[in-house]
Amino acid sequence: MTSKQKWLIGGAIVLVVVLIATAFAWFAGDDSETVTTDSPATTSAGPPPPAENGTGAQGFGNPVTDLLGRKVLTPKNGAGEALPQQHNSAREQCPGPDGAESPTGVVIENTWGVQSLLSTSDGPREVRRRILVGYEQSYQGAVLAAWNYIAAMKVGGDSIPQIMSAYGLLDPETRTKLDSATGFEEQSAVYKAGVLAPEAFRIVSCDPEYVAMELALPVLDSNSPNVAARTWAAKSMTMVWSDGDWKVQSDKASSGRLEPVSKLDGWTRWAS
């Protein structure tokens, strides 16, 4: 394994996975683990605004360009701006013989300093308790929900219990713990700026209520963190349809698993 491949795996784990695995472990009641990150302790401007649905503002400010040259919308509501939906009832819930199709009208929005993915076909349909929710019961909806969960968790702060409540498959005991959980550190703006939305996805297994997938996460050049290396890390995620939306299936054994990817042949890229 080359030094760059080692950096790809190690750096991507730090960037994408740590909060997810440790937060689920903490709420599961494992006293040997605490909620921490592998990044240095930082200070921030404080938690998101306390309004039920974010700042309450509507519309977008000026867009920006990310390190991959992609357009990133800047919603005036820091929690995001849901897009009008155009439902296609004829579309299959799982990929057909021709392979997976992208959601349509996909955009990247800057939500609380990280990149979230929204579409006009598969949700999310609304902002609820500062969280993007309301995804189509399709593999495309599951993919969008999976990434937006990762992105929201990377913000950190005391919104983590709300995020886990919205996206997690939780038992009653864990939900009780969530009600009083505090003390999660919010990440710095610099840290959040490195959380880049995946460039593509592929479906590993699918039925109408279960989707296992891989997300192709961009990797930054190890010698220049402001430059994309044009390689990717494949992040495995599994989503389950429950209570009218896609929920994350927590799996400690695979939560940190990432595989280096040098080409995106056979992957599905986003359709704008």
Side-chain angles (χ1 to χ4, degrees):
M1 180 180 291
T2 66
S3 59
K4 178 166 284 189
Q5 287 175 321
K6 292 179 181 178
W7 177 88
L8 186 156
I9 296 173
I13 289 173
V14 170
L15 201 68
V16 180
V17 181
V18 176
L19 272 177
I20 300 171
T22 52
F24 267 114
W26 190 86
F27 281 115
D30 186 345
D31 295 334
S32 66
E33 299 187 59
T34 57
V35 180
T36 60
T37 71
D38 285 355
S39 58
T42 57
T43 59
S44 67
E52 177 71 10
N53 295 318
T55 63
Q58 295 182 330
F60 296 92
N62 293 326
V64 298
T65 304
D66 72 5
L67 297 175
L68 302 175
R70 303 179 297 185
K71 180 180 180 181
V72 179
L73 300 181
T74 307
K76 293 181 180 179
N77 182 348
E81 177 84 10
L83 306 176
Q85 298 295 296
Q86 299 175 347
H87 177 69
N88 182 358
S89 59
R91 197 172 57 179
E92 298 293 332
Q93 289 181 315
C94 287
D98 295 331
E101 297 181 358
S102 168
T104 57
V106 176
V107 301
I108 302 174
E109 292 187 15
N110 185 323
T111 60
W112 305 128
V114 299
Q115 293 186 358
S116 295
L117 291 170
L118 295 88
S119 78
T120 58
S121 61
D122 295 88
R125 291 187 296 270
E126 63 177 301
V127 176
R128 186 186 307 154
R129 298 184 68 192
R130 308 197 297 275
I131 309 299
L132 293 167
V133 298
Y135 296 89
E136 192 71 17
Q137 190 177 357
S138 62
Y139 65 91
Q140 293 98 332
V143 169
L144 295 169
W147 169 252
N148 289 341
Y149 169 75
I150 293 174
M153 289 289 282
K154 297 307 289 182
V155 174
D158 286 336
S159 290
I160 282 181
Q162 294 181 12
I163 297 163
M164 293 185 67
S165 180
Y167 284 104
L169 286 169
L170 306 175
D171 56 51
E173 181 182 356
T174 301
R175 287 195 179 277
T176 299
K177 292 182 180 180
L178 280 173
D179 292 338
S180 59
T182 59
F184 295 90
E185 181 182 12
E186 185 174 351
Q187 297 300 311
S188 69
V190 172
Y191 177 85
K192 290 185 285 187
V195 182
L196 302 178
E199 288 195 72
F201 69 92
R202 60 185 178 189
I203 302 302
V204 178
S205 179
C206 177
D207 66 40
E209 297 184 343
Y210 172 94
V211 180
M213 72 196 73
E214 290 182 314
L215 304 175
L217 307 177
V219 175
L220 302 182
D221 193 306
S222 57
N223 298 316
S224 180
N226 293 322
V227 177
R230 306 314 301 165
T231 56
W232 300 266
K235 172 72 179 98
S236 298
M237 291 286 287
T238 300
M239 306 296 286
V240 176
W241 186 259
S242 178
D243 297 328
D245 218 339
W246 289 107
K247 309 292 184 181
V248 178
Q249 183 186 74
S250 176
D251 182 355
K252 293 183 182 180
S254 63
S255 61
R257 190 178 71 228
L258 291 161
E259 297 292 338
V261 176
S262 59
K263 297 181 180 180
L264 294 181
D265 296 344
W267 293 70
T268 302
R269 293 179 179 268
W270 308 113
S272 58

